[in-house]
Amino acid sequence: MMPADPAMILTFVVIVVTIGLYALERYALEAVALAAVVALLVVFSVFPVATATGASFGPAEILAGFANPALVTVICLLIVGQALFQTNALETPAKIVVTATRRFPHLATIPILVGVAIISGFLNNTPVVVMFLPILSAVAAAQGRSSARLLMPLSFIAILGGMTTLIGSSTNLLVADVAARSGGIELGFFSFTPLGLTLAGIGSVYVLFVMPYLLKPRRTMADELKSSSGKQFIAQIQINSGHPLEGVTSVSGLFPALKDMTVRLVQRGERPILPPFENVTLSPGDTLIVAATRSALTAALSQRRPLMAAEGDDTTESETAAQPQRSLTLAEVVVAPASRLSGRTISQSGFHSETGCVVMGLQRRSRMPRMAMTEIRLEPGDVLLVAGSASEVKRLRTYRDVLLLDWSASEVPPRRLAPRALLIFLAMVAASASGVVPIVTASITATMAMILTGCLNVRQAMRAVDSRIFMLIGASIASASALEVTGGAHAVADLLVTQLESQPPGIILSALYLLVMVLTNLLSNNATAVLFTPIAINMAHQTGIPVEAFVTCVIFAANSSFATPIGYQTNLIVMGPGHYRFSDFLLAGSPLALLLWLSFTFIAPLYYGFTML
């Protein structure tokens, strides 16, 4: 064992330094993770260590974490979530929830999270979080709230719910299996449910009412641009036969179907109809001149039956609705000084024939003209909202008559594919939750289905892959494997038993919980549970305390993986969509872990009938 000692010590050093750098956030998380992997490669090259099979622990074993099924699962789930976002598949359910709880916004999330806790007691936590993550994200977007305040609570509440029954978490089942084989202890389905419900209830109060205020509402650049873009564009909607607005009648001077737009003019033949609109029924041939934000125009384009045409000028609205929508990108361009477009209308400019892009809206800073968009003569400085394929929009960089605002380019969500994306998502959840196939198989299949059915393309799928999560998981698995093969984890466990031999029973139980809780946030919770279950049984026999108390102690402590994103798979799943940092888990998750430790320390002796001291 002596040859392994230097490797063990250096492995501890690498783990401690790595976690410290994660928490400080002075360096990019990817860089720190890569440095940790390099350090481990060097350590085990200089100080070789043999595995249990006698083979050398080398680069293949250290780098195996980057092909781990857990990592593949998380990456695929991020891509599936991107497809749901891309198609706005959950916008309607989210709006229903928000509308039903408009007077009490907090009621939109608390019942959902409580439901997650209940369901997690009977299903594996991972598919439950996968199921509710896009729903909560959509609810947050509909409320104008940051998803960062909801997604970490989602992960934590699922973990708490999984602590209440034998099948609530794979960790619970693993501990029960080891306990049955090592100590002859048989745990039933609800053996520890009363104690689990007590701990989960205490933790849930913190998660629901305290933790959201500790989380910073971090947003992506896309979120910032979207939220800050409140400027109005002039656009027009041509009503043709079969148009979704055909036959719509004004109510109280407004058109309810266009609640996100301001109708400035209805052009009926040669007769303009100005607001307020009294008993005006839209009919084929009418042209609506509207003022709307970019988000409203995007929504009008992305509906299953689009309100606006995004094809060439020679394509009618009804033809466009009947055709399959192409993948559209919206962008903003500014009419350049001395542009050939200056003084011409959009139809006179030949913009579509030269670029392939269609002008969807026009914004003029000095005034908002009350006329058809096709009759407005362009001026330098006018901002045009244009639609086209990604390649067509990219080519605008070389079109000298306009200046493309690169940051403004974004793809129009293909909402017509929302039912398809939702069906794939539900099939994935059902297959993994029922145990028909492993979650990794279901997630990979769902990812392939999302791409093959057009819910998102390969470029969008690759954009959904979070490099931080990829490096974090790979490096964490490498560190955990190194700690196990060097005997570091066993050394810590042996030290615990030695130091606590003369302590009172309650102190021993509390110390066991604390140690397992710390290690489960650094190693995998399953590895920690397997390591400490036999140790816990031996400690129970030495102290005379019921063995079940020590076994459940390992279960609850191994589930207390709140302080780091690597502690549990659901933490990693929400890390990307919530835009969390490593320090967010330390700040918001550590108090929860400590709260459960203190609660167990004082409640477990009463529950199992022995004194604390």
Side-chain angles (χ1 to χ4, degrees), residues 408-444:
S408 68
S410 64
E411 296 184 53
V412 177
R415 297 192 188 186
R416 73 191 187 284
L417 300 178
R420 194 179 302 174
L422 194 57
L423 182 63
I424 294 171
F425 170 70
L426 293 176
M428 179 193 72
V429 173
S432 58
S434 63
V436 174
V437 295
I439 181 69
V440 61
T441 304
S443 61
I444 293 175

Side-chain angles (χ1 to χ4, degrees), residues 3 45 73 118 167 179 183 204 220 255 261 346 407 446 497 536 587:
S45 296
T73 299
I118 295 172
I167 66 169
S204 296
T220 62
F255 292 96
M261 302 181 181
I346 294 170
W407 56 263
V497 174
L587 177 64

